[in-house]
Each structure stands twice: as structure tokens, then as C-alpha cells.
Amino acid sequence: MTEKLLRYFRTRQKEAETEKLYDTQCPFCSMQCKMQLIEQSTVTRKKYQTVGKDNPTSEGRLCIKGLNAHQHAVHTDRIKHPLRKINGEFQPISWDEAYALISEKFAAIQTKHGKNALSVYGSATITNEEAYLLGKFARVGLETKYIDYNGRLCMSAAASAAAQTFGVDRGFTNTISEIPHTRCIVLAGTNIAECQPTIMPYFERAKENGAFIIAIDPRETSTTKMADLHLKVKPGMDSALANGLLKVIVDENLIDESFIEERVNGFDEVKEHIATLDLNEIAEQTGVPVEQIIKAGTVFGREDSGMIFTARGVEQQTDGSISVRNFLNILLATGKIGKKNSGFGAVTGQGNGQGAREHGQKADQLPGYRSIENEEHRQYISDVWGINEKDLPRKGVSAFETIQKIDEGEIKGMFLMCSNPVVSNPSAEFVKKALEKLDFFVAVDMFISETARLADLILPATSYLETPGTMTNVEGRVTLREASFPVQGEAKHDWQIICELAAALGKEKYFSFSSPEEIFNELRVASKGGKADYSGITYDRIREKEGILWPCPDEDHPGTERLFEKEFSHADGKANMIVVPNKPEIPKDTPTVDFPLYLTTGRVMAHYLTGVQTRKSSTLAAHDFESYMEIHPATAEKYHIQDNTLVKIESARGHIVVRSKVSDTIRKDTVFVPFHWADSQNVNRLVSKKLDPTCKMPGFKVSAVKLSPVAN
């Protein structure tokens, strides 16, 4: 053998690939698709591939985000050491120094201004264990009432509506497997084809099986193209449209009288209200023709089974909670709830949007959906935690109201975990200026996000590949995310950071956990007897069953696949209907001479939330590398806007500059901008501070704006 060949074979031997497999699940939407990362290594490089794994929800499917999720987890911009801001620049420090600094600063703030001068801002993308622990940390570790989380901007309207109507909130009242067998589906304000792509086959199967699909959206989307009927509603008019559908159902006597009599409160009042409404006026108000309203109401009322799904298009409004309640009125009037192939689905946006709100991150909530103002609930959780009930803080305020209290000077310090409120909140410039007023600000993150830039200290967190724990998906199915990828640098799991910081604050005995499973076992006890009862769920059972649907009150219980079959979760066992006016309690932006167009917002398939993670993925960033404004050709012509040119969009709150995308798929009175970008492309700069009076949801989906072309 020649010397040249010997060198070649030695080189090939050195570069022989080794392969490692890592089980995990997608960090993005609420489908929580199971997947596996394949790492192939040689002496000179590593390459990665993500593949789907079979499971009861996504059946092995992945979308473009899941296929490329690993790209942000292994990105060179990952924070790998604690960073302290010194003279405006971040410099690495040790973990011991970081904890000592937090202890010193937090103690000084509380000594001078009181316990409630500190706040905690959480996330709906962390695990159940971490969400539970963060709520406990705020109330036991810091003894503050001020904790809330970014899920307030996502699921709060649907959650409050379901809780008030049914007595409990779980994302889907039925399993996802029932969707293909229902006869009529209403998709209200949800673009599942781009936001939750791996759920789409269930709806496609339903259509193949003969289901009639009604989509409600101001835009034509990949989702509305699947529908048999598209109701192109004016932004913000969803509750009025629901009244129109309900009027058709009542007037045509398509109600389920026996169901209403046995299981529903409030129908007579709703019926009286509906009788006073005029369909022609509703058509004028909503922009949906009368004949379409009649057709949609008639089809849904006449079919034997039906499901209604809502998402951010309906919910992210200042009347989002009551709007969802009106769609639930339709389900109750027709008896399409608590039955096979009939029910409600709130299409959760964030990965753990369901579980993260069940166990203590919400300002008014304790684990298991217990109320922080209920004396019996307070005593139970105090006993679990080993504290005196009188030392457990009362309720605080919502996420955006927390920012307002910072601006007013009531809150002086913040501990933020896995969230980016500078981009995600309304009136984003106000939020930035408020956070800059904090005496001391700690951010836990994987990257230096737009919000973390403002922090005095950043603590490096692990990624979805590195952090094991449970998540609760869109169905209410508790899943277990396995994670064994090597931790990057000195990063720590969120739960470790909470426990170690609690120890530094002198509260170690309340946070002496050594694994996520230990935390979960305490969560099980804390949730026992609550409406979101996880007490019968164990890690071993989740592995065996590939997830368990709550409530699950004991280890012999199989989990609850369909809610409300016999009774609802109110004390009397009945559901509650409510009169919903056509006009909202809090006036919304409406077009004026100065601001003549509606602005609505939403997602694109390649990105997730504020884009901190997906914009770090080269593949996803290339797919959609900048924001844009979708505008109808006639509207573009009216305002002298050419396709693919820069446009200034202004509201009463501020302005942004994005590129135009002319399309006849949107209403002429409406423009659309996605919300995944920051700084000068951050559409939330344009959104008002008004909040839903029930759930404190901002009105992201309705703003009044004006347009002007940007001169070259």
C-alpha cells in the first residue's frame, strides 16, 4: 500500500463518525411534539438532525420550527456564565458572586421599601416543576405578592372564560383524537396551519370525513383556505359575530332544550337579550354578510356534533374574555359539550401555556388552580409548604400591571425568568422605560434578549435539550420531556437557580430539591384535591402511558379524556351562560380621520413569540428574516404604497418601519404585522395600554393606525 493511501485511511479512521441520540420534545408551541436529536461527531466537526417520535398528540410529525430547534440550543451566542453589568458592559462573574449580589440588593430593597417592592415575572415555556417552584419562590423565598407571567398575554382570556363558564379551564375539553369525527368545526381567530402545523392533519381528516369547517378571521390564511365558509370579520367584532350566530340558533330553534334545562344557568336572560338584536345591524357591525351568518349558525346548530376552537385572534382583545364566553354560549345552547366529538378547544400558544398557569405563577392563583384569596385553599398550600398561612401573601396584579407599578415606583426590583416583556407587552417603549427605573433587575435567560440587555445581572439558563421535566400540552396531557444533552458552559437549570438562590436568601429548607422529579412529587401533593389535580400522575406512569390527561386524582385513575360528561365544575354542577353586549365595556381603537386603518397582529410559521430563540436559528431566520406589513392592493394604492417597499406605520402610541407585502387576502380596512421582531420592527410599540377588565389581557389584535411610504 502506498504512503498516500495509508495517509488517506488514517485520516478516514480519525474522522469516523460517532453518533449519539437525545430524546426530547419541541420547545415551541403547545403541541409539544416528541422528537429526537441525532448528533454525529467527527474529530473536526459535529452535525445535528432532528426527527419526530411517535406519540398520542402529534403522531411523530414535526414542523419547520421543531426540525430546526436545536440550532438555537447550540448557538455560539448562548450565555454560559453569569454576567454582571459594570459601567454599561456585561462582565462574567461566578455563581457565588451572583447569588451574593442578589441577596445583598434584594435585602436592601425590601428593608427600605417593604416585601412587595420585589416582583417576579415568569414564563409559559418553562416546565411544570419550574413554574410551580417559581410561584413558591415568590411567595416563600421573597415573600412578595407580585408574581405574574407572560402567559397573561396569551391564554388568560380563554382561561378566565372557561373557568367562569364551566368552573375549570383545561385547554381542550376532549382529546385531540375526537376532532376527525365531529360534524362541524368553528375556528375562531386561529391560524393553526402556521401556528400549530402538526395539529392540521386532525382537521384535514375531519374535512375528509364530511365535517363542515367555519373559519373566522379578518385575513385569508392557510387555515381559512381549508374552511367551507370563511367569515371575514372586522378586527375586534368577534363577540358581536358570536351574538349573530347565537341569534340564528335560537330563532331557528336549534337549541338543545333538555341539555339547557338540566345543565345550564342563564339561558333565559341570554335568550331575551338575543331577541333584541338585529342581524342586519350585526352584519354591518362585523362586516360579515347576513347570509353567511345565517349559514354558519344554521349548520352548527343542526349538526349532531360540533367543536369550537378559539385562539389569540379572539382572545387578545380588551373584551377577549367575554368574547370567548359568547362562543361558549353557542356550545351550551346547542348542547355540544361534555359529549363525544363535541367540545371546546383553546388553542394554546406557548409550549407550557396550560401547565404554567395551573400551579402558581398567576397573581391570584395557587397550585392546582386554587385561589390565593380562598382561606381553605391558602391553609392547604401553607401546610404543604410548611409556612404559617398569615405569612402567605395575598393576590398581586397582572403582568402588564406589574410594569405599571414599576413605572409608578411601587416595585423596585425584579426577578425575571425566560421572558422578553420589552418586546411582548403593549406600548413596548413604555415597558422599556419602566424597567430602566428598577433599582436592581435580574434576568434568567439563554441569550441577551432585548429585555435582558436592561438587566443588572443575567443568569445563564439551560435549553430544552438540557432540562428535563413535565409539560402540559394543548389537550391537558401531562408529558415528560427527557433531556440529557450536555449542559453548555456554566449554565444551570431554572429549578437549580431558584433552589440555590433561595438557599442564598436563607430559605434553603423550603427548596431542598435535587431533581425535577422531587419537585413534581411535591407539586402532586400541592395539587391534590384542586381542580387541576395531578396527584395520581407519576414520572413512571407518564413514561408508560406517553402522557396522562388531568385531572388524575389517584395512581389507579387513567386520566380524564373528556371533561363535563356528567356535570360541570361549579358547585351546582351546571355551566353558566352570560349576556354579552355587541359593544365592549372598554372602547377599542376604531379608525378615525387621523388613524384610518385597523392593525392586527399574529404569527408566521418559522418564528415563535418574540423571536429570541428562532431568530438565532439560521434556517428559520432565513425563512423570514424581517417583519412585514400585509396590505390589500386597493388600500396600498390609496396610500401610495408599492409592494416590497418600506412603510412607516403609526398609532397614537408610536411608530415602526416594516416592508410592505401587497395581498388581496386581507380586508381593505385592515393591515397585518407579525410580532416576532424587536426594536424598530416591534409592532407592540403601537398597541395601547388598555386591558380586558376580567383577565387583564391587552388588546393586541385591534389598533388604529396610519401609513406613509418611507422615502428612498
Side-chain angles (χ1 to χ4, degrees):
M1 186 178 291
T2 66
E3 183 63 27
K4 184 176 181 179
L5 281 172
L6 282 171
R7 286 199 303 271
Y8 170 79
F9 284 117
R10 289 187 189 121
T11 301
R12 292 295 297 165
Q13 185 177 15
K14 286 181 181 179
E15 293 189 353
E17 290 186 346
T18 60
E19 186 172 276
K20 294 181 180 178
L21 304 178
Y22 299 99
D23 288 329
T24 186
Q25 60 195 51
C26 185
F28 299 128
C29 88
S30 57
M31 287 294 285
Q32 282 300 286
C33 303
K34 289 287 187 180
M35 58 194 196
Q36 192 172 64
L37 179 69
I38 303 169
E39 178 188 81
Q40 294 175 322
S41 303
T42 68
V43 173
T44 56
R45 67 175 186 142
K46 291 182 179 180
K47 60 181 180 179
Y48 301 95
Q49 180 186 6
T50 298
V51 296
K53 288 187 66 179
D54 190 32
N55 64 93
T57 303
S58 60
E59 303 173 318
R61 292 183 291 274
L62 293 178
C63 75
I64 187 174
K65 288 193 292 292
L67 288 168
N68 295 284
H70 62 274
Q71 291 181 350
H72 80 262
V74 299
H75 199 280
T76 55
D77 285 353
R78 281 279 301 272
I79 305 169
K80 297 182 180 179
H81 312 277
L83 299 175
R84 182 182 183 182
K85 187 179 286 179
I86 300 174
N87 297 324
E89 299 292 331
F90 285 113
Q91 298 182 16
I93 62 172
S94 70
W95 278 100
D96 287 344
E97 290 173 312
Y99 291 142
L101 180 64
I102 298 171
S103 298
E104 174 194 340
K105 295 291 187 179
F106 279 7
I109 288 171
Q110 289 189 315
T111 298
K112 185 175 181 180
H113 303 286
K115 298 289 188 183
N116 293 322
L118 293 180
S119 62
V120 174
Y121 196 112
S123 172
T125 58
I126 58 180
T127 66
N128 288 323
E129 292 82 359
E130 290 162 344
Y132 167 78
L133 210 59
L134 194 61
K136 182 179 179 181
F137 174 72
R139 291 160 177 134
V140 178
L142 298 180
E143 299 178 57
T144 180
K145 67 180 180 179
Y146 288 128
I147 176 172
D148 211 68
Y149 77 130
N150 63 16
R152 179 74 67 170
L153 314 176
C154 177
M155 289 304 302
S156 59
S160 60
Q164 291 170 334
T165 302
F166 304 139
V168 69
D169 152 47
R170 191 180 82 180
F172 282 16
T173 61
N174 307 57
T175 65
I176 205 168
S177 62
E178 292 187 33
I179 293 172
H181 308 292
T182 192
R183 297 298 304 157
C184 187
I185 295 171
V186 175
L187 299 172
T190 176
N191 182 12
I192 52 175
E194 293 193 62
C195 300
Q196 285 86 11
T198 58
I199 201 176
M200 274 293 282
Y202 290 100
F203 293 96
E204 290 166 347
R205 289 174 206 160
K207 189 173 178 67
E208 290 168 3
N209 290 337
F212 190 89
I213 299 178
I214 303 162
I216 302 171
D217 199 307
R219 307 165 58 219
E220 292 177 26
T221 66
S222 299
T223 304
T224 66
K225 290 175 183 176
M226 173 185 64
D228 297 282
L229 180 61
H230 177 196
L231 307 183
K232 215 168 189 176
V233 65
K234 286 181 185 177
M237 295 295 109
D238 300 279
S239 59
L241 180 57
N243 268 335
L245 302 178
L246 192 56
K247 181 174 178 60
V248 172
I249 289 166
V250 173
D251 288 354
E252 296 298 319
N253 198 31
L254 301 174
I255 61 173
D256 187 329
E257 292 183 358
S258 61
F259 181 89
I260 292 169
E261 184 177 351
E262 295 170 12
R263 304 193 59 187
V264 177
N265 296 318
F267 174 75
D268 289 341
E269 293 82 357
V270 172
K271 184 178 180 180
E272 288 178 15
H273 170 66
I274 290 297
T276 68
L277 301 180
D278 182 87
L279 272 187
N280 290 308
E281 291 179 4
I282 291 175
E284 177 66 26
Q285 190 175 1
T286 62
V288 178
V290 169
E291 57 271 20
Q292 290 188 3
I293 297 174
I294 292 173
K295 183 173 184 179
T298 302
V299 172
F300 191 84
R302 284 181 177 166
E303 290 290 358
D304 292 336
S305 61
M307 292 182 170
I308 295 179
F309 298 87
T310 67
R312 306 305 83 71
V314 171
E315 300 158 15
Q316 285 184 324
Q317 301 188 37
T318 53
D319 63 346
S321 181
I322 202 167
S323 293
V324 176
R325 290 202 71 175
N326 218 10
F327 282 100
L328 300 184
N329 281 344
I330 294 171
L331 282 178
L332 294 172
T334 57
K336 292 182 172 67
I337 185 74
K339 299 177 180 178
K340 188 175 182 181
N341 307 328
S342 291
F344 172 61
V347 187
T348 312
Q350 296 192 66
N352 199 26
Q354 181 67 51
R357 69 180 181 266
E358 295 168 354
H359 300 299
Q361 285 193 104
K362 287 181 72 176
D364 58 350
Q365 207 158 273
L366 292 170
Y369 272 154
R370 288 182 164 90
S371 168
I372 202 165
E373 293 298 315
N374 180 292
E375 299 304 320
E376 182 181 340
H377 295 180
R378 290 173 59 82
Q379 188 61 59
Y380 180 83
I381 296 299
S382 296
D383 290 344
V384 173
W385 287 349
I387 63 172
N388 291 322
E389 182 273 329
K390 64 180 178 61
D391 294 328
L392 182 64
R394 294 282 172 172
K395 71 176 180 179
V397 296
S398 71
F400 187 72
E401 290 173 312
T402 299
I403 305 296
Q404 291 175 315
K405 288 192 175 292
I406 293 171
D407 179 65
E408 295 162 2
E410 183 174 339
I411 293 174
K412 301 290 185 179
M414 174 176 277
F415 183 80
L416 177 142
M417 180 165 279
C418 193
S419 194
N420 191 16
V422 163
V423 179
S424 63
N425 273 264
S427 297
E429 285 301 297
F430 163 78
V431 174
K432 181 180 178 182
K433 290 175 182 176
L435 293 179
E436 288 172 341
K437 294 181 179 181
L438 289 167
D439 290 353
F440 193 66
F441 178 23
V442 181
V444 181
D445 211 322
M446 294 167 55
F447 300 101
I448 303 179
S449 69
E450 289 78 15
T451 301
R453 286 179 202 161
L454 307 178
D456 299 289
L457 181 67
I458 307 176
L459 304 179
T462 50
S463 75
Y464 76 102
L465 289 173
E466 301 147 50
T467 307
T470 61
M471 312 282 277
T472 306
N473 75 5
V474 67
E475 299 175 279
R477 187 184 301 273
V478 183
T479 65
L480 178 59
R481 183 176 72 194
E482 309 283 6
S484 57
F485 195 78
V487 171
Q488 304 293 291
E490 295 181 11
K492 292 180 182 287
H493 305 313
D494 293 329
W495 67 266
Q496 287 180 308
I497 294 171
I498 295 169
C499 290
E500 291 174 1
L501 178 55
L505 295 170
K507 301 294 180 72
E508 182 177 10
K509 71 175 184 177
Y510 303 107
F511 297 89
S512 56
F513 301 102
S514 59
S515 71
E517 189 170 5
E518 269 191 63
I519 302 167
F520 187 75
N521 285 333
E522 183 174 293
L523 182 159
R524 292 172 58 208
V525 176
S527 73
K528 186 174 180 62
K531 291 183 177 180
D533 192 334
Y534 283 30
S535 59
I537 304 174
T538 67
Y539 271 35
D540 286 342
R541 291 195 71 202
I542 297 173
R543 288 188 178 108
E544 179 187 354
K545 303 291 185 182
E546 294 190 277
I548 297 176
L549 289 131
W550 68 262
C552 182
D554 61 68
E555 291 188 39
D556 293 324
H557 193 284
T560 306
E561 293 196 346
R562 188 182 304 121
L563 298 177
F564 316 131
E565 288 185 297
K566 295 181 179 179
E567 62 181 7
F568 293 96
S569 296
H570 291 299
D572 63 359
K574 293 188 175 184
N576 296 325
M577 293 182 72
I578 187 174
V579 170
V580 177
N582 275 355
K583 293 183 179 180
E585 177 182 339
I586 297 176
K588 303 179 185 182
D589 273 12
T590 53
T592 63
V593 173
D594 293 331
F595 300 102
L597 297 170
Y598 289 109
L599 164 71
T600 193
T601 68
R603 301 186 183 199
V604 297
M605 186 183 292
H607 287 292
Y608 177 68
L609 299 185
T610 64
V612 173
Q613 296 173 355
T614 52
R615 284 186 275 124
K616 295 295 183 184
S617 162
S618 57
T619 301
L620 298 177
H623 197 275
D624 284 288
F625 61 89
E626 65 177 354
S627 188
Y628 62 88
M629 177 194 70
E630 188 175 293
I631 183 171
H632 192 276
T635 312
E637 182 179 2
K638 181 177 180 179
Y639 294 101
H640 311 292
I641 293 167
Q642 301 295 315
D643 189 27
N644 199 35
T645 59
L646 295 179
V647 181
K648 183 179 182 181
I649 311 177
E650 295 179 79
S651 77
R653 274 73 60 180
H655 71 272
I656 61 172
V657 175
V658 295
R659 195 170 300 278
S660 63
K661 181 183 287 187
V662 176
S663 170
D664 60 6
T665 61
I666 193 167
R667 291 178 58 93
K668 293 178 182 179
D669 58 2
T670 303
V671 296
F672 167 84
V673 179
F675 54 65
H676 310 292
W677 284 268
D679 303 322
S680 63
Q681 293 189 329
N682 180 3
V683 69
N684 287 333
R685 287 183 174 187
L686 310 181
V687 177
S688 84
K689 299 176 185 177
K690 294 177 183 178
L691 304 176
D692 182 301
T694 300
C695 65
K696 308 303 180 182
M697 171 73 81
F700 293 108
K701 290 296 183 278
V702 186
S703 301
V705 297
K706 63 180 178 180
L707 311 177
S708 57
V710 175
N712 293 330

